[in-house]
Amino acid sequence: MTDVSIDINADLGEFEESLANGTDFELMRYITSANVACGGHAGNEQSMRQTLSGARQLKVAVGAHPGYPDPANFGRVESPHSPLEIEGSVGQQIAALAKIAGCLDLRLVHVKPHGALYHAANTNREVALAIGRAVKAINPQFVMVGQAGSSALEVWHSMGLRFAAEAFADRAYEPDGTLRKRTLSGALLDDPALAAQQAIDIAVRHRVIASDGSELTVEANTICIHSDTPGSVAIAREVNQRLKAAGARVQGLS
């Protein structure tokens, strides 16, 4: 048994099929924070409203999941947008979600960039600053979610923003601490038992075993499960149950 508190988050509202067949709703039963796609890489008014309504019903904390405005590439290709353009786009996406949330009497808690924008913030200080400015202009109390150990978290902290360090249950890590590219074998941990073990290692032991077998130190406040990982509901259920069995308090960032 251990005395740790951990959030479980997932990116939702990204696929019409997952909304229509109930996968997103079922996934929300086992997470504590939902990152809602808000019109950049995916998402529209209908999907935002449906996702937020489900989160309200299941008492899941909600946050914005802005990405590059590039649905053709699902926001997974780095864009040549200027920092000013990124700031404007991110601000518009968060504002759109916040407006719908307000109509449902919901309060946004956090902001987590998506895909290539998330990774660009780790490597490009100007991108991280642009995202931070957009967030501060809307609500400086939002919690910024970024990869544990990343420079993006340092930038947002320097701007006076709150932040949560994120690690991943369903993604393999390279020895340098980066996520294994999705195009490589073994990038996804789609076995619920393996993902749950990695989640426990992160939350309880503050470590991750990299693809070469080496051990990385990871200090995380929240653990992500991707909704598009095959079997995501089974993974989330196993992660949630195993964390609780290990004595962890599974609770939202708020």
Side-chain angles (χ1 to χ4, degrees):
M1 300 292 287
T2 186
D3 182 28
V4 299
S5 173
I6 194 76
D7 172 59
I8 303 175
N9 79 78
D11 309 334
L12 297 171
E14 295 180 317
F15 305 100
E16 290 183 10
E17 181 180 357
S18 297
L19 286 166
N21 66 19
T23 297
D24 273 12
F25 188 79
E26 286 302 308
L27 185 56
M28 275 193 277
R29 294 185 186 278
Y30 306 106
I31 66 172
T32 45
S33 293
N35 319 311
V36 185
C38 41
H41 67 288
N44 52 41
E45 184 175 346
Q46 181 180 349
S47 66
M48 285 187 269
R49 185 173 296 275
Q50 184 176 344
T51 304
L52 290 170
S53 296
R56 181 183 179 186
Q57 182 178 338
L58 294 173
K59 295 180 171 55
V60 172
V62 290
H65 193 43
Y68 283 123
D70 181 18
N73 292 303
F74 195 63
R76 285 185 173 154
V77 176
E78 189 163 352
S79 166
H81 285 82
S82 70
L84 190 61
E85 290 171 325
I86 290 171
E87 181 179 347
S89 175
V90 168
Q92 289 171 4
Q93 292 176 58
I94 298 171
L97 184 68
K99 181 178 180 181
I100 297 171
C103 292
L104 296 171
D105 198 26
L106 279 174
R107 177 177 63 89
L108 299 185
V109 173
H110 65 279
V111 174
K112 174 187 167 181
H114 165 81
L117 183 62
Y118 181 100
H119 296 295
N122 292 343
T123 57
N124 187 326
R125 178 178 173 84
E126 293 305 315
V127 171
L129 286 168
I131 296 169
R133 287 194 300 269
V135 170
K136 287 192 77 168
I138 295 173
N139 188 339
Q141 294 303 308
F142 283 156
V143 178
M144 302 298 302
V145 177
Q147 190 167 350
S150 69
S151 60
L153 295 182
E154 296 176 8
V155 170
W156 295 328
H157 178 61
S158 74
M159 298 176 74
L161 289 161
R162 303 161 67 201
F163 66 90
E166 179 181 47
F168 299 84
D170 58 356
R171 291 292 304 276
Y173 281 77
E174 297 291 15
D176 63 357
T178 60
L179 298 181
R180 188 168 176 82
K181 293 186 183 300
R182 289 175 177 266
T183 53
L184 299 176
S185 63
L188 295 179
L189 276 64
D190 54 7
D191 180 329
L194 292 178
Q197 184 57 57
Q198 180 152 297
I200 290 172
D201 281 346
I202 291 165
V204 178
R205 303 184 181 96
H206 310 295
R207 71 174 190 180
V208 161
I209 305 302
S211 58
D212 67 348
S214 60
E215 185 174 307
L216 306 173
T217 299
V218 178
E219 297 285 346
N221 311 109
T222 183
I223 294 175
C224 177
I225 297 163
H226 290 90
S227 61
D228 59 343
T229 297
S232 58
V233 173
I235 292 170
R237 183 190 303 117
E238 186 77 6
V239 167
N240 183 301
Q241 293 174 351
R242 289 278 303 280
L243 282 170
K244 289 176 178 175
R249 292 187 306 278
V250 177
Q251 59 187 35
L253 296 172
S254 58

PDB file of all heavy atoms in Angstrom, residues 75-101:
ATOM      1  N   GLY A  75      -3.669  16.852 -36.535  1.00  0.00           N
ATOM      2  CA  GLY A  75      -2.807  17.640 -35.659  1.00  0.00           C
ATOM      3  C   GLY A  75      -1.520  16.945 -35.264  1.00  0.00           C
ATOM      4  O   GLY A  75      -0.875  17.343 -34.285  1.00  0.00           O
ATOM      5  N   ARG A  76      -1.113  15.934 -36.010  1.00  0.00           N
ATOM      6  CA  ARG A  76       0.087  15.166 -35.659  1.00  0.00           C
ATOM      7  C   ARG A  76       1.306  15.531 -36.500  1.00  0.00           C
ATOM      8  O   ARG A  76       2.341  14.881 -36.418  1.00  0.00           O
ATOM      9  CB  ARG A  76      -0.198  13.660 -35.760  1.00  0.00           C
ATOM     10  CG  ARG A  76      -1.046  13.162 -34.583  1.00  0.00           C
ATOM     11  CD  ARG A  76      -1.251  11.678 -34.588  1.00  0.00           C
ATOM     12  NE  ARG A  76      -1.911  11.227 -33.364  1.00  0.00           N
ATOM     13  CZ  ARG A  76      -2.648  10.142 -33.256  1.00  0.00           C
ATOM     14  NH1 ARG A  76      -2.828   9.370 -34.332  1.00  0.00           N
ATOM     15  NH2 ARG A  76      -3.212   9.811 -32.120  1.00  0.00           N
ATOM     16  N   VAL A  77       1.178  16.581 -37.301  1.00  0.00           N
ATOM     17  CA  VAL A  77       2.297  17.057 -38.109  1.00  0.00           C
ATOM     18  C   VAL A  77       2.620  18.478 -37.669  1.00  0.00           C
ATOM     19  O   VAL A  77       1.728  19.336 -37.611  1.00  0.00           O
ATOM     20  CB  VAL A  77       1.947  17.037 -39.608  1.00  0.00           C
ATOM     21  CG1 VAL A  77       3.097  17.625 -40.422  1.00  0.00           C
ATOM     22  CG2 VAL A  77       1.623  15.614 -40.071  1.00  0.00           C
ATOM     23  N   GLU A  78       3.883  18.729 -37.338  1.00  0.00           N
ATOM     24  CA  GLU A  78       4.252  20.068 -36.870  1.00  0.00           C
ATOM     25  C   GLU A  78       3.962  21.095 -37.958  1.00  0.00           C
ATOM     26  O   GLU A  78       4.236  20.876 -39.137  1.00  0.00           O
ATOM     27  CB  GLU A  78       5.727  20.131 -36.459  1.00  0.00           C
ATOM     28  CG  GLU A  78       6.077  21.423 -35.767  1.00  0.00           C
ATOM     29  CD  GLU A  78       7.387  21.370 -34.997  1.00  0.00           C
ATOM     30  OE1 GLU A  78       7.963  20.284 -34.868  1.00  0.00           O
ATOM     31  OE2 GLU A  78       7.822  22.440 -34.524  1.00  0.00           O
ATOM     32  N   SER A  79       3.427  22.223 -37.544  1.00  0.00           N
ATOM     33  CA  SER A  79       2.958  23.248 -38.469  1.00  0.00           C
ATOM     34  C   SER A  79       3.894  24.452 -38.469  1.00  0.00           C
ATOM     35  O   SER A  79       4.523  24.757 -37.462  1.00  0.00           O
ATOM     36  CB  SER A  79       1.547  23.686 -38.053  1.00  0.00           C
ATOM     37  OG  SER A  79       1.178  24.879 -38.695  1.00  0.00           O
ATOM     38  N   PRO A  80       3.971  25.166 -39.603  1.00  0.00           N
ATOM     39  CA  PRO A  80       4.819  26.366 -39.658  1.00  0.00           C
ATOM     40  C   PRO A  80       4.130  27.603 -39.108  1.00  0.00           C
ATOM     41  O   PRO A  80       4.622  28.715 -39.319  1.00  0.00           O
ATOM     42  CB  PRO A  80       5.088  26.505 -41.164  1.00  0.00           C
ATOM     43  CG  PRO A  80       3.847  25.954 -41.807  1.00  0.00           C
ATOM     44  CD  PRO A  80       3.412  24.815 -40.924  1.00  0.00           C
ATOM     45  N   HIS A  81       3.021  27.449 -38.409  1.00  0.00           N
ATOM     46  CA  HIS A  81       2.315  28.606 -37.851  1.00  0.00           C
ATOM     47  C   HIS A  81       3.258  29.423 -36.953  1.00  0.00           C
ATOM     48  O   HIS A  81       4.058  28.865 -36.202  1.00  0.00           O
ATOM     49  CB  HIS A  81       1.110  28.161 -37.036  1.00  0.00           C
ATOM     50  CG  HIS A  81      -0.047  27.698 -37.862  1.00  0.00           C
ATOM     51  ND1 HIS A  81      -0.144  26.427 -38.383  1.00  0.00           N
ATOM     52  CD2 HIS A  81      -1.170  28.348 -38.265  1.00  0.00           C
ATOM     53  CE1 HIS A  81      -1.264  26.306 -39.058  1.00  0.00           C
ATOM     54  NE2 HIS A  81      -1.908  27.456 -39.013  1.00  0.00           N
ATOM     55  N   SER A  82       3.118  30.731 -37.011  1.00  0.00           N
ATOM     56  CA  SER A  82       3.915  31.624 -36.166  1.00  0.00           C
ATOM     57  C   SER A  82       3.396  31.561 -34.731  1.00  0.00           C
ATOM     58  O   SER A  82       2.256  31.153 -34.496  1.00  0.00           O
ATOM     59  CB  SER A  82       3.811  33.060 -36.681  1.00  0.00           C
ATOM     60  OG  SER A  82       2.500  33.561 -36.451  1.00  0.00           O
ATOM     61  N   PRO A  83       4.208  31.989 -33.771  1.00  0.00           N
ATOM     62  CA  PRO A  83       3.729  32.031 -32.388  1.00  0.00           C
ATOM     63  C   PRO A  83       2.440  32.841 -32.234  1.00  0.00           C
ATOM     64  O   PRO A  83       1.549  32.460 -31.469  1.00  0.00           O
ATOM     65  CB  PRO A  83       4.897  32.680 -31.637  1.00  0.00           C
ATOM     66  CG  PRO A  83       6.102  32.267 -32.414  1.00  0.00           C
ATOM     67  CD  PRO A  83       5.653  32.303 -33.853  1.00  0.00           C
ATOM     68  N   LEU A  84       2.329  33.948 -32.962  1.00  0.00           N
ATOM     69  CA  LEU A  84       1.123  34.770 -32.884  1.00  0.00           C
ATOM     70  C   LEU A  84      -0.091  34.006 -33.399  1.00  0.00           C
ATOM     71  O   LEU A  84      -1.187  34.079 -32.815  1.00  0.00           O
ATOM     72  CB  LEU A  84       1.310  36.064 -33.682  1.00  0.00           C
ATOM     73  CG  LEU A  84       0.220  37.134 -33.501  1.00  0.00           C
ATOM     74  CD1 LEU A  84       0.155  37.589 -32.053  1.00  0.00           C
ATOM     75  CD2 LEU A  84       0.474  38.309 -34.428  1.00  0.00           C
ATOM     76  N   GLU A  85       0.094  33.262 -34.487  1.00  0.00           N
ATOM     77  CA  GLU A  85      -1.000  32.462 -35.041  1.00  0.00           C
ATOM     78  C   GLU A  85      -1.383  31.328 -34.087  1.00  0.00           C
ATOM     79  O   GLU A  85      -2.572  31.025 -33.913  1.00  0.00           O
ATOM     80  CB  GLU A  85      -0.595  31.890 -36.400  1.00  0.00           C
ATOM     81  CG  GLU A  85      -0.497  32.932 -37.504  1.00  0.00           C
ATOM     82  CD  GLU A  85       0.114  32.379 -38.776  1.00  0.00           C
ATOM     83  OE1 GLU A  85       1.019  31.513 -38.708  1.00  0.00           O
ATOM     84  OE2 GLU A  85      -0.313  32.809 -39.868  1.00  0.00           O
ATOM     85  N   ILE A  86      -0.386  30.707 -33.466  1.00  0.00           N
ATOM     86  CA  ILE A  86      -0.660  29.637 -32.497  1.00  0.00           C
ATOM     87  C   ILE A  86      -1.439  30.194 -31.311  1.00  0.00           C
ATOM     88  O   ILE A  86      -2.431  29.596 -30.869  1.00  0.00           O
ATOM     89  CB  ILE A  86       0.660  28.987 -32.031  1.00  0.00           C
ATOM     90  CG1 ILE A  86       1.287  28.189 -33.175  1.00  0.00           C
ATOM     91  CG2 ILE A  86       0.424  28.087 -30.817  1.00  0.00           C
ATOM     92  CD1 ILE A  86       2.685  27.690 -32.891  1.00  0.00           C
ATOM     93  N   GLU A  87      -1.001  31.350 -30.810  1.00  0.00           N
ATOM     94  CA  GLU A  87      -1.688  31.977 -29.680  1.00  0.00           C
ATOM     95  C   GLU A  87      -3.154  32.240 -30.020  1.00  0.00           C
ATOM     96  O   GLU A  87      -4.053  31.940 -29.216  1.00  0.00           O
ATOM     97  CB  GLU A  87      -0.981  33.287 -29.317  1.00  0.00           C
ATOM     98  CG  GLU A  87      -1.605  34.009 -28.135  1.00  0.00           C
ATOM     99  CD  GLU A  87      -0.861  35.301 -27.788  1.00  0.00           C
ATOM    100  OE1 GLU A  87       0.260  35.502 -28.289  1.00  0.00           O
ATOM    101  OE2 GLU A  87      -1.424  36.100 -27.014  1.00  0.00           O
ATOM    102  N   GLY A  88      -3.398  32.768 -31.211  1.00  0.00           N
ATOM    103  CA  GLY A  88      -4.768  33.070 -31.615  1.00  0.00           C
ATOM    104  C   GLY A  88      -5.620  31.830 -31.768  1.00  0.00           C
ATOM    105  O   GLY A  88      -6.766  31.778 -31.298  1.00  0.00           O
ATOM    106  N   SER A  89      -5.055  30.811 -32.420  1.00  0.00           N
ATOM    107  CA  SER A  89      -5.808  29.577 -32.645  1.00  0.00           C
ATOM    108  C   SER A  89      -6.127  28.868 -31.341  1.00  0.00           C
ATOM    109  O   SER A  89      -7.261  28.428 -31.111  1.00  0.00           O
ATOM    110  CB  SER A  89      -5.015  28.648 -33.566  1.00  0.00           C
ATOM    111  OG  SER A  89      -5.674  27.400 -33.716  1.00  0.00           O
ATOM    112  N   VAL A  90      -5.126  28.743 -30.466  1.00  0.00           N
ATOM    113  CA  VAL A  90      -5.338  28.072 -29.178  1.00  0.00           C
ATOM    114  C   VAL A  90      -6.380  28.826 -28.363  1.00  0.00           C
ATOM    115  O   VAL A  90      -7.277  28.221 -27.749  1.00  0.00           O
ATOM    116  CB  VAL A  90      -4.007  27.949 -28.402  1.00  0.00           C
ATOM    117  CG1 VAL A  90      -4.253  27.522 -26.962  1.00  0.00           C
ATOM    118  CG2 VAL A  90      -3.093  26.947 -29.093  1.00  0.00           C
ATOM    119  N   GLY A  91      -6.291  30.148 -28.360  1.00  0.00           N
ATOM    120  CA  GLY A  91      -7.265  30.945 -27.624  1.00  0.00           C
ATOM    121  C   GLY A  91      -8.684  30.742 -28.138  1.00  0.00           C
ATOM    122  O   GLY A  91      -9.633  30.606 -27.352  1.00  0.00           O
ATOM    123  N   GLN A  92      -8.836  30.706 -29.465  1.00  0.00           N
ATOM    124  CA  GLN A  92     -10.161  30.510 -30.058  1.00  0.00           C
ATOM    125  C   GLN A  92     -10.727  29.138 -29.690  1.00  0.00           C
ATOM    126  O   GLN A  92     -11.920  29.005 -29.377  1.00  0.00           O
ATOM    127  CB  GLN A  92     -10.076  30.651 -31.579  1.00  0.00           C
ATOM    128  CG  GLN A  92      -9.842  32.070 -32.057  1.00  0.00           C
ATOM    129  CD  GLN A  92      -9.545  32.143 -33.543  1.00  0.00           C
ATOM    130  OE1 GLN A  92      -9.572  31.133 -34.260  1.00  0.00           O
ATOM    131  NE2 GLN A  92      -9.256  33.339 -34.035  1.00  0.00           N
ATOM    132  N   GLN A  93      -9.875  28.119 -29.707  1.00  0.00           N
ATOM    133  CA  GLN A  93     -10.335  26.768 -29.396  1.00  0.00           C
ATOM    134  C   GLN A  93     -10.785  26.650 -27.938  1.00  0.00           C
ATOM    135  O   GLN A  93     -11.841  26.077 -27.638  1.00  0.00           O
ATOM    136  CB  GLN A  93      -9.231  25.753 -29.699  1.00  0.00           C
ATOM    137  CG  GLN A  93      -8.923  25.604 -31.181  1.00  0.00           C
ATOM    138  CD  GLN A  93      -7.761  24.666 -31.425  1.00  0.00           C
ATOM    139  OE1 GLN A  93      -7.797  23.502 -31.031  1.00  0.00           O
ATOM    140  NE2 GLN A  93      -6.719  25.153 -32.085  1.00  0.00           N
ATOM    141  N   ILE A  94      -9.974  27.192 -27.027  1.00  0.00           N
ATOM    142  CA  ILE A  94     -10.334  27.127 -25.610  1.00  0.00           C
ATOM    143  C   ILE A  94     -11.620  27.915 -25.357  1.00  0.00           C
ATOM    144  O   ILE A  94     -12.518  27.461 -24.633  1.00  0.00           O
ATOM    145  CB  ILE A  94      -9.198  27.671 -24.727  1.00  0.00           C
ATOM    146  CG1 ILE A  94      -7.932  26.834 -24.887  1.00  0.00           C
ATOM    147  CG2 ILE A  94      -9.628  27.688 -23.255  1.00  0.00           C
ATOM    148  CD1 ILE A  94      -6.709  27.432 -24.219  1.00  0.00           C
ATOM    149  N   ALA A  95     -11.731  29.086 -25.973  1.00  0.00           N
ATOM    150  CA  ALA A  95     -12.919  29.930 -25.776  1.00  0.00           C
ATOM    151  C   ALA A  95     -14.179  29.229 -26.276  1.00  0.00           C
ATOM    152  O   ALA A  95     -15.244  29.328 -25.649  1.00  0.00           O
ATOM    153  CB  ALA A  95     -12.729  31.267 -26.484  1.00  0.00           C
ATOM    154  N   ALA A  96     -14.063  28.520 -27.399  1.00  0.00           N
ATOM    155  CA  ALA A  96     -15.222  27.810 -27.945  1.00  0.00           C
ATOM    156  C   ALA A  96     -15.708  26.738 -26.978  1.00  0.00           C
ATOM    157  O   ALA A  96     -16.913  26.579 -26.747  1.00  0.00           O
ATOM    158  CB  ALA A  96     -14.852  27.183 -29.288  1.00  0.00           C
ATOM    159  N   LEU A  97     -14.767  25.998 -26.387  1.00  0.00           N
ATOM    160  CA  LEU A  97     -15.140  24.949 -25.437  1.00  0.00           C
ATOM    161  C   LEU A  97     -15.681  25.563 -24.148  1.00  0.00           C
ATOM    162  O   LEU A  97     -16.671  25.081 -23.587  1.00  0.00           O
ATOM    163  CB  LEU A  97     -13.933  24.067 -25.131  1.00  0.00           C
ATOM    164  CG  LEU A  97     -14.211  22.861 -24.226  1.00  0.00           C
ATOM    165  CD1 LEU A  97     -15.104  21.840 -24.930  1.00  0.00           C
ATOM    166  CD2 LEU A  97     -12.902  22.196 -23.785  1.00  0.00           C
ATOM    167  N   ALA A  98     -15.040  26.630 -23.683  1.00  0.00           N
ATOM    168  CA  ALA A  98     -15.470  27.281 -22.446  1.00  0.00           C
ATOM    169  C   ALA A  98     -16.894  27.816 -22.567  1.00  0.00           C
ATOM    170  O   ALA A  98     -17.669  27.770 -21.599  1.00  0.00           O
ATOM    171  CB  ALA A  98     -14.510  28.410 -22.090  1.00  0.00           C
ATOM    172  N   LYS A  99     -17.255  28.304 -23.727  1.00  0.00           N
ATOM    173  CA  LYS A  99     -18.607  28.832 -23.949  1.00  0.00           C
ATOM    174  C   LYS A  99     -19.648  27.723 -23.796  1.00  0.00           C
ATOM    175  O   LYS A  99     -20.670  27.901 -23.120  1.00  0.00           O
ATOM    176  CB  LYS A  99     -18.701  29.465 -25.338  1.00  0.00           C
ATOM    177  CG  LYS A  99     -20.066  30.053 -25.647  1.00  0.00           C
ATOM    178  CD  LYS A  99     -20.075  30.697 -27.022  1.00  0.00           C
ATOM    179  CE  LYS A  99     -21.451  31.283 -27.339  1.00  0.00           C
ATOM    180  NZ  LYS A  99     -21.494  31.905 -28.701  1.00  0.00           N
ATOM    181  N   ILE A 100     -19.374  26.563 -24.403  1.00  0.00           N
ATOM    182  CA  ILE A 100     -20.313  25.439 -24.306  1.00  0.00           C
ATOM    183  C   ILE A 100     -20.347  24.901 -22.884  1.00  0.00           C
ATOM    184  O   ILE A 100     -21.412  24.574 -22.350  1.00  0.00           O
ATOM    185  CB  ILE A 100     -19.926  24.337 -25.310  1.00  0.00           C
ATOM    186  CG1 ILE A 100     -20.027  24.871 -26.740  1.00  0.00           C
ATOM    187  CG2 ILE A 100     -20.821  23.102 -25.141  1.00  0.00           C
ATOM    188  CD1 ILE A 100     -19.466  23.949 -27.796  1.00  0.00           C
ATOM    189  N   ALA A 101     -19.182  24.821 -22.258  1.00  0.00           N
ATOM    190  CA  ALA A 101     -19.121  24.355 -20.872  1.00  0.00           C
ATOM    191  C   ALA A 101     -19.960  25.253 -19.971  1.00  0.00           C
ATOM    192  O   ALA A 101     -20.690  24.771 -19.092  1.00  0.00           O
ATOM    193  CB  ALA A 101     -17.675  24.319 -20.389  1.00  0.00           C
TER     194      ALA A 101
END
